[in-house]
Amino acid sequence: MQPIVDGGPTAPRPLPAAPLTAWHHEDVPTTLAALTTTSDGLSDTVAAERRAQCGLNELHEQQTRRPLLMLLEQFTNVMVLILLAAALLSLFLDKQLEAGAIFAIVGLFALLGFFQEYRAERAIAALKRLSVPHVRAYRNGQLGELSARDLVPGDVILLEAGNLVPADLRIIESVNLRIQEAALTGESLPISKQSEALAQQAVPLAERRNMGYLGTTVSYGRGRAVVVATGMQTELGKIATMLQQVSHAPTPLQQRLDRVGKQLAVAGIVVALLILGLGLVMGESLGAMLLTAISVAVAVIPEGLPAVVTFTLALGGQRMLRRQALIRKLPAVETLGSVTIICSDKTGTLTENRMTVTRLVTTGTMVAQPNGLADHEQGLLLAAGVLCNDAELQPTSDSGAYRILGDPTEGALLVAAANAGLLKAELQQALPRVSELPFDSERKRMTTLHARGGAALDQRLAQVWGQTSFMPAAELLALTKGAVDGLLEVTSQVWVHGQAEVLDEAWRAKILAENSALASNGMRVLGIAFRPLPTETATELVERELIFLGLVAMIDPPRPEVAAAVATCRTAGIRPLMITGDHPLTASYIARELGITQDSMVVTGAELDQAGNAALPELVAHSNVFARVSPEHKLKIVAALRSQGHVVAMTGDGVNDAPALKQADIGVAMGITGTDVAREASDMVLRDDNFTTIVAAVEEGRVIYDNLRRFVKFAVAGNIGKVAVMLLWPLLISLSGLPSTTMVALLPLQLLWLNLMTDGLLGLSMGFEPAERSVMQRPPHRPSDGIFAGGMAWQTIWVGMVIGLLSLGAGGWYYWQGLSQWQTVMVTSLAFLQVFQALGTRSTSASLWSIGIFSNRVMWGIIVLVVGLQLLAIYTPLSIFLGMQALTLFDLLLCIGLGVLLLGAIEGAKALR
Ligand code: ATP
């Protein structure tokens, strides 16, 4: 092993001054030397120095919105523009005070909008940072994990199928390594990679077979590579147009709310014209009426809407993160709320992914938990399982405890073998691996090719296996493990008591029956086979004419919390489906344990293939369990379900799952066991790989949708109330025959003031509303449903009318009494009415008492603020700006009393419903 390049703090360790650019043309030692590194990577100290020199390994996003720009954007909002027009008009009409106040309020709204958006943006950026892939790299001579952002030139990393290539790399070791470079070169087929230098210097990117480039993905095999360029120095970084762009496209809900906003704006203009006409007819001055009309238009529009939506979605994303669901695409937050089907993998998501070998079944005998090497055939079975294996057992303490690195299925084999005295290191010395055909979920098996370590080691083999005769003159030995059904298709003989027999129908039936018996008890079963190969054989010809050795069965217990989550899905109108590569009987057993299915109906991948496109919808409509499927079947299942109008969440972890994840409404990737490629394709990542987390995220999605509807209901009803006051006041005055000092109920500034407190502040607190108890006891909302679906339109209108009439009644009564504070009473009652309306809007069906009056603390904080602001507006010099007067205690109590009355009406209506 070469020393690590770390000569202490004073030693020179520069990055090459003039970095080589034709890395593909240099051989591995020259490359490593040029980068002042070794095949064991850098030390932390050197890496830190290089990072200081080259910066983090990330692309600068040109699209990131600068805060100043975000603030300026607030002033491009139509509603703000209308307000600014009103302010200019005031100036024109020589009302400096009003103009100044409107400017101040515009500024406040803009600031409020800015802060909400800024927080939202930061929350989204934080979520994005969490999605940065981790890389397996050598530092200080040790293999460890680090964030791809921390890579520097000279780092040596490991690559395996499913990894994103995290920087520009020179390959230094390749085992069937293939990289999919379509994103960079347009070449759709994966390119085989090797480590030898290329003779030519001028070679296009697409043909540099010993390089890997940022932005591409490893589709097969594994390898080792040294980082030659990071961040903006990479080929991808140099192509500005290909930079990752942050998408600011609005989500479907945002679009729908935008439409609602526009409709309200139109309504506002119509109402404003009405008021203008009415005022003029009643003899008001054109100037005053113009200003009033503009203010009314503004009062109708819920200014806070866009900011509240962005903010609520981002806040929801953070809440989901706390429940282990990492949102990668913001629209997912709202789509989750309407999910009707969750398609889940079995292993690791529904089960614990903690495999334990419980049965070894050789062709001759069937013995319980292996204990010592009673039977050489068992030893042979285990040894083959250990050699055809990429996992490692890593000791965690001196007491003999260990941890499995790698695939749990393979780890279970290592543990069982170690318990029987067979250690991987020893076996590997005797039979070193020379090549391999990695596992993939289509073939559902893997094969390794081994050479003989030498005559001395043959003796050890003989001890273990009793004989080495199974590889008589063989140069090479192929070992295969995988799904039994598929394995038998490439097997022609059976190894019985040291002899190969023909695999006839009787044997086949016996093996399959044994396999079914194990699987129907929920066990995962692997078949193991071998083949002596006299000479080197093309890898694609290796997996045929194998000799069957036996079966290994392991249990993987269901996660204890999943059954409850499945039950929650049922009450929430969501159908959970299991889609697994495992045996149908294993799948069916686990699905029944978890309540995913009651019957034993299982559809297999083969049946999906036979069914054809016409019969597919029927199959997916009736079965909850799909077994022996490959990733392309997942794609078929998603497509069929979506064609039936379902909103589908689908989990996946492998490279080949990416298309299905993209096609699903919500692609869900695994945070622990998933590949980078699957994560890149997903909308959401489960940080704990747990099915329960999907259900939790769906619940949060529903809460967010509820809260946004709540805000719309609250804001629109409040605005209806204000418009009613403005429209009905002139009628009331002229019908009552009272002397008409003014036809204008509320001054423009008062309306703006009210909007600031209600839409701006109270509305915000709706985003903090905790889940309603019934949230997972009702069916999902249909994505096609409008915002006001389910009777909400009617509720909004009547609450709005009651608000308007109560305030109008109070103001009218004061006016009739000749009391000058009539207008202040109307403004204050509207403010207090909306405070109580906010409390009543907290739940659609449950009473305020049952959900806990104080359970939304943020709302109470904001209520205190709003009441405080209103008191300031009445009792401080602010009142001069707002045209208000001091109220008596009785006046205040009256305003509060009206609010209580409204709350009573809202709660009464809930009780009636
Ligand atoms: P899911 O998470 O979708 O339930 P799965 O683990 O059931 O996935 P795969 O990992 O594709 O599905 O495994 C399918 C089959 O492939 C298993 O039933 C097993 O027979 C075989 N298999 C799994 N892992 C390995 C492995 N490491 N080596 C060889 N064969 C394997």
Side-chain angles (χ1 to χ4, degrees):
M1 207 179 257
Q2 298 171 50
I4 308 157
V5 188
D6 186 3
T10 51
R13 47 195 163 214
L15 256 184
L20 299 169
T21 44
W23 298 106
H24 55 276
H25 182 56
E26 308 297 335
D27 61 15
V28 172
T30 316
T31 306
L32 293 175
L35 288 161
T36 344
T37 184
T38 72
S39 55
D40 290 321
L42 303 171
S43 70
D44 278 335
T45 335
V46 175
E49 279 170 22
R50 289 194 183 175
R51 196 162 46 248
Q53 209 177 330
C54 326
L56 287 173
N57 176 31
E58 53 191 12
L59 299 179
H60 303 313
E61 289 166 351
Q62 294 184 322
Q63 295 288 308
T64 312
R65 293 197 299 169
R66 308 217 174 285
L68 186 65
L69 191 73
M70 229 189 281
L71 184 63
L72 288 178
E73 269 177 16
Q74 304 297 323
F75 292 95
T76 61
N77 185 322
V78 186
M79 316 176 196
V80 172
L81 289 181
I82 298 180
L83 277 177
L84 287 177
L88 288 179
L89 199 66
S90 309
L91 271 184
F92 183 70
L93 297 170
D94 216 16
K95 303 235 176 197
Q96 280 87 355
L97 192 74
E98 304 233 319
I102 297 181
F103 277 127
I105 287 192
V106 169
L108 261 175
F109 257 121
L111 270 182
L112 209 66
F114 165 73
F115 278 122
Q116 291 181 25
E117 267 196 47
Y118 184 69
R119 258 198 78 177
E121 191 100 355
R122 285 232 319 237
I124 297 166
L127 290 180
K128 263 189 78 177
R129 267 199 301 282
L130 283 174
S131 324
V132 174
H134 279 248
V135 189
R136 293 212 286 163
Y138 290 91
R139 283 278 174 88
N140 307 320
Q142 297 260 314
L143 186 59
E145 275 213 338
L146 47 105
S147 163
R149 298 167 80 215
D150 293 330
L151 287 179
V152 292
D155 265 324
V156 172
I157 66 167
L158 287 190
L159 293 172
E160 59 184 6
N163 284 165
L164 296 176
V165 175
D168 283 3
L169 313 168
R170 169 72 165 84
I171 310 293
I172 58 179
E173 195 184 307
S174 158
V175 181
N176 301 322
L177 185 68
R178 276 184 235 158
I179 297 186
Q180 163 62 263
E181 297 182 332
L184 199 64
T185 64
E187 171 57 54
S188 62
L189 289 178
I191 310 289
S192 265
K193 297 288 177 176
Q194 37 97 4
S195 59
E196 284 80 44
L198 302 184
Q200 299 274 324
Q201 193 160 354
V203 181
L205 277 193
E207 287 163 32
R208 297 186 188 168
R209 290 179 170 264
N210 52 14
M211 298 291 292
Y213 292 101
L214 175 67
T216 61
T217 54
V218 180
S219 56
Y220 196 77
R222 57 192 171 83
R224 210 197 252 243
V226 59
V227 174
V228 298
T230 58
M232 296 305 283
Q233 305 307 314
T234 59
E235 294 298 329
L236 186 65
K238 288 181 203 155
I239 319 170
T241 50
M242 285 188 66
L243 286 192
Q244 275 186 334
Q245 302 201 337
V246 191
S247 157
H248 282 286
T251 73
L253 186 66
Q254 279 175 319
Q255 286 168 9
R256 224 180 304 153
L257 287 173
D258 208 40
R259 266 203 303 280
V260 172
K262 290 214 175 93
Q263 283 159 0
L264 286 171
V266 172
I269 289 169
V270 171
V271 174
L273 289 176
L274 253 171
I275 288 187
L276 182 69
L278 259 173
L280 291 180
V281 168
M282 303 215 161
E284 293 284 328
S285 79
L286 178 67
M289 281 323 292
L290 265 180
L291 213 53
T292 311
I294 287 181
S295 307
V296 168
V298 174
V300 176
I301 304 165
E303 287 87 353
L305 194 61
V308 167
V309 175
T310 322
F311 180 72
T312 309
L313 289 177
L315 198 76
Q318 282 182 323
R319 272 214 300 239
M320 289 181 181
L321 184 64
R322 254 175 265 139
R323 298 181 76 173
Q324 302 303 324
L326 169 67
I327 296 297
R328 294 190 66 256
K329 293 169 192 160
L330 203 55
V333 173
E334 59 177 84
T335 314
L336 272 164
S338 46
V339 161
T340 57
I341 291 205
I342 303 177
C343 299
S344 173
D345 285 340
K346 173 179 69 67
T347 313
T349 318
L350 297 170
T351 65
E352 292 189 353
N353 213 1
R354 217 164 25 86
M355 309 265 177
T356 316
V357 173
T358 49
R359 292 288 186 92
L360 293 179
V361 186
T362 61
T363 42
T365 47
M366 194 163 90
V367 188
Q369 175 67 35
N371 207 353
L373 285 180
D375 179 351
H376 287 300
E377 283 177 1
Q378 276 184 55
L380 195 56
L381 196 59
L382 278 175
V386 167
L387 285 165
C388 178
N389 195 315
D390 289 326
E392 299 287 342
L393 290 187
Q394 194 186 53
T396 53
S397 65
D398 296 337
S399 62
Y402 51 79
R403 160 171 99 97
I404 293 170
L405 293 182
D407 177 15
T409 303
E410 301 196 336
L413 287 168
L414 295 188
V415 173
N419 288 341
L422 287 172
L423 297 178
K424 186 174 181 184
E426 226 172 63
L427 289 168
Q428 252 178 345
Q429 261 185 350
L431 287 167
R433 186 191 294 191
V434 289
S435 141
E436 68 197 51
L437 279 152
F439 173 78
D440 74 53
S441 42
E442 298 280 343
R443 277 161 45 246
K444 298 188 172 41
R445 60 176 171 262
M446 79 179 263
T447 296
T448 50
L449 278 167
H450 301 261
R452 290 165 74 164
L457 291 164
D458 276 355
Q459 281 196 344
R460 169 69 183 132
L461 279 186
Q463 271 172 7
V464 173
W465 291 343
Q467 54 199 308
T468 48
S469 58
F470 71 98
M471 43 186 300
E475 291 274 319
L476 290 171
L477 176 68
L479 296 171
T480 305
K481 73 178 191 315
V484 182
D485 27 6
L487 189 65
L488 287 185
E489 284 166 22
V490 289
T491 301
S492 56
Q493 286 168 293
V494 199
W495 192 251
V496 196
H497 300 310
Q499 297 292 329
E501 287 182 14
V502 175
L503 175 81
D504 55 14
E505 277 316 307
W507 262 117
R508 185 181 295 273
K510 213 172 352 184
I511 294 169
L512 286 176
E514 200 65 64
N515 184 28
S516 299
L518 295 166
S520 56
N521 283 313
M523 289 188 222
R524 157 172 286 214
V525 190
L526 287 183
I528 296 187
F530 73 96
R531 179 182 175 196
L533 290 167
T535 50
E536 214 160 297
T537 311
T539 37
E540 60 275 15
L541 299 180
V542 170
E543 280 180 359
R544 55 178 64 173
E545 290 170 27
L546 303 179
I547 306 172
F548 192 78
L549 274 174
L551 305 172
V552 182
M554 41 190 95
I555 51 161
D556 175 20
R559 287 177 184 265
E561 65 279 19
V562 167
V566 168
T568 306
C569 284
R570 296 231 179 278
T571 57
I574 300 168
R575 203 174 121 211
L577 300 190
M578 175 195 279
I579 303 187
T580 174
D582 228 331
H583 193 280
L585 290 171
T586 316
S588 170
Y589 180 91
I590 303 279
R592 270 177 287 134
E593 288 266 293
L594 293 172
I596 291 177
T597 183
Q598 264 81 43
D599 52 38
S600 49
M601 180 169 170
V602 180
V603 174
T604 63
E607 283 163 356
L608 285 173
D609 287 335
Q610 282 160 10
N613 288 344
L616 210 58
E618 181 69 12
L619 274 184
V620 298
H622 292 110
S623 177
N624 286 352
V625 185
F626 296 82
R628 280 288 187 252
V629 293
S630 60
E632 71 184 73
H633 293 126
K634 284 189 171 180
L635 200 62
K636 278 189 170 181
I637 297 172
V638 175
L641 288 169
R642 292 194 72 217
S643 73
Q644 296 173 344
H646 283 293
V647 179
V648 184
M650 160 78 82
T651 68
D653 47 14
V655 192
N656 304 338
D657 286 334
L661 291 180
K662 281 197 185 133
Q663 171 136 45
D665 297 279
I666 300 281
V668 184
M670 301 299 139
I672 303 172
T673 56
T675 55
D676 298 337
V677 175
R679 277 196 284 270
E680 274 294 300
S682 71
D683 302 285
M684 176 171 100
V685 176
L686 303 180
R687 306 239 285 165
D688 56 0
D689 290 11
N690 194 333
F691 177 81
T692 317
T693 302
I694 310 177
V695 183
V698 167
E699 182 183 333
E700 288 295 346
R702 290 186 175 194
V703 172
I704 288 157
Y705 188 75
D706 285 354
N707 286 349
L708 284 174
R709 280 186 83 197
R710 218 164 261 148
F711 170 73
V712 172
K713 185 166 152 184
F714 170 78
V716 173
N719 292 359
I720 289 179
K722 286 165 222 162
V723 173
V725 168
M726 292 299 285
L727 268 180
L728 296 180
W729 179 258
L731 287 179
L732 184 78
I733 297 300
S734 45
L735 289 180
S736 65
L738 287 171
S740 62
T741 46
T742 177
M743 285 295 163
V744 180
L746 302 171
L747 299 178
L749 270 179
Q750 293 167 343
L751 280 168
L752 292 172
W753 172 254
L754 279 173
N755 261 14
L756 180 73
M757 289 197 298
T758 56
D759 294 357
L761 291 174
L762 282 171
L764 193 63
S765 65
M766 307 270 160
F768 292 89
E769 190 57 41
E772 285 193 47
R773 222 168 301 149
S774 64
V775 72
M776 292 301 267
Q777 282 156 19
R778 53 177 147 94
H781 68 264
R782 281 195 303 267
S784 56
D785 279 350
I787 296 285
F788 288 95
M792 195 175 103
W794 169 235
Q795 288 165 32
T796 310
I797 292 172
W798 82 250
V799 171
M801 286 314 291
V802 172
I803 292 176
L805 291 178
L806 286 176
S807 164
L808 196 67
W813 189 67
Y814 273 73
Y815 189 79
W816 185 56
Q817 300 277 316
L819 296 170
S820 61
Q821 71 268 41
W822 62 270
Q823 200 168 38
T824 310
V825 166
M826 276 210 290
V827 176
T828 312
S829 61
L830 277 172
F832 286 6
L833 276 162
Q834 283 214 262
V835 164
F836 285 92
Q837 180 207 356
L839 288 172
T841 313
R842 285 189 48 209
S843 158
T844 23
S845 49
S847 71
L848 180 60
W849 339 116
S850 70
I851 59 172
I853 299 180
F854 295 105
S855 53
N856 182 345
R857 285 175 195 283
V858 177
M859 183 178 278
W860 276 101
I862 289 181
I863 288 178
V864 170
L865 181 68
V866 165
V867 172
L869 280 173
Q870 183 59 24
L871 293 180
L872 279 181
I874 300 174
Y875 297 111
T876 68
L878 196 61
S879 60
I880 306 169
F881 284 89
L882 294 168
M884 305 248 230
Q885 295 184 11
L887 295 183
T888 65
L889 184 63
F890 173 80
D891 302 340
L892 278 182
L893 288 178
L894 178 85
C895 293
I896 295 174
L898 292 179
V900 175
L901 210 63
L902 175 71
L903 184 60
I906 295 177
E907 292 298 329
K910 275 189 218 169
L912 279 180
R913 271 206 304 278

